[in-house]
Amino acid sequence: MAIRTVVFDVGETLVDETRIFARWADRFGIPHMAFFGTIGAVLGSGGTLTDGFRLLVPGFDLAAESARWSAEDPGGEREHFGEGDLYPDVRPAFAAMRGSGLSLVIAGNQPPEAGPTLTAMELGVDGIGISDDWGVKKPEPEFFDRVLSLARDTRPGVTPGEVLYVGDRVDNDVLPALRAGMRAVLLRRGIYGYRHAATEDAARADAVLDDLHQLADWIARQN
């Protein structure tokens, strides 16, 4: 079955989050090496990003800290991304995929601000879905129900088996997308991607790839 629609996660799929994490480290006065090393060690032992933050900053509460940061620096970048954070392969790979007739959609776990930011980038996508706008987030099945609805809105008649979800995590991206009947690619980059690509469940993905240029070539071969 040919792939007709490709849906992309945001963080570490399209957006390099290095500068975001560096700003968090700077906010707490933690050297970058210590910050990234500690977060990586926590993730490697099965913990979450929140666990890592709380190890570094006891009592850390994301919502409360984000609100404080926003009040202190309302015009700053804070924990948000911008044009400069896009991975360099996004625009050329998107152009190649659009040129081959694919519909492109973005859908990820993001705050409401992400939608307008992505829209302003004019990436040439057919639809954008944001978890906080939907009121449901990955890996919940309802999120992927919304993904499929968005895919059908942008390409009427597309079936789940013709939709490919691309993300950097096995737990949040690959496995729930497969359960929803979609195909799935694991992207081997970012704070989760390298770790998850080394797990047994990574083999359940249709492919494990290093960048979006490889993705465009792989889809062309599949189709």
Side-chain angles (χ1 to χ4, degrees):
M1 184 176 294
I3 296 166
R4 301 174 66 200
T5 298
V6 188
V7 184
F8 297 88
D9 174 41
V10 180
E12 295 303 343
T13 298
L14 305 180
V15 171
D16 182 347
E17 295 178 319
T18 301
R19 292 198 313 134
I20 297 173
F21 284 109
R23 288 196 295 271
W24 274 114
D26 292 342
R27 177 164 178 76
F28 296 122
I30 300 170
H32 290 187
M33 184 69 77
F35 187 89
F36 282 99
T38 300
I39 294 291
V42 170
L43 294 178
S45 64
T48 66
L49 275 174
T50 300
D51 295 331
F53 270 79
R54 287 178 179 162
L55 181 61
L56 291 160
V57 185
F60 176 81
D61 179 273
L62 177 59
E65 191 61 38
S66 292
R68 279 193 292 270
W69 201 357
S70 178
E72 295 166 10
D73 185 20
E77 292 179 301
R78 305 188 312 278
E79 72 264 53
H80 305 307
F81 61 84
E83 173 74 30
D85 298 305
L86 274 184
Y87 275 108
D89 58 3
V90 173
R91 291 188 183 278
F94 273 25
M97 286 184 271
R98 286 197 308 271
S100 67
L102 294 166
S103 297
L104 307 182
V105 172
I106 297 172
N109 284 352
Q110 292 291 321
E113 297 86 355
T117 298
L118 289 165
T119 299
M121 290 180 182
E122 298 183 344
L123 296 172
V125 297
D126 301 287
I128 297 173
I130 301 298
S131 61
D132 277 13
D133 293 336
W134 285 349
V136 63
K137 62 177 59 179
K138 298 184 293 184
E140 296 172 16
E142 292 80 8
F143 177 92
F144 290 89
D145 291 341
R146 295 296 297 264
V147 168
L148 288 173
S149 293
L150 181 57
R152 294 188 187 106
D153 288 342
T154 58
R155 187 154 196 163
V158 71
T159 65
E162 296 172 315
V163 177
L164 175 71
Y165 193 88
V166 181
D168 63 309
R169 294 178 59 168
V170 169
D171 55 350
N172 262 21
D173 302 319
V174 171
L175 298 183
L178 293 175
R179 286 193 290 268
M182 294 182 249
R183 300 174 72 176
V185 161
L186 179 64
L187 207 57
R188 186 177 171 270
R189 67 181 177 194
I191 199 166
Y192 280 99
Y194 292 99
R195 168 73 178 171
H196 283 212
T199 65
E200 291 184 4
D201 280 337
R204 298 179 62 182
D206 288 87
V208 179
L209 304 172
D210 291 331
D211 58 48
L212 299 185
H213 293 304
Q214 287 186 7
L215 176 70
D217 292 343
W218 179 83
I219 293 173
R221 291 194 301 272
Q222 299 301 301
N223 287 350

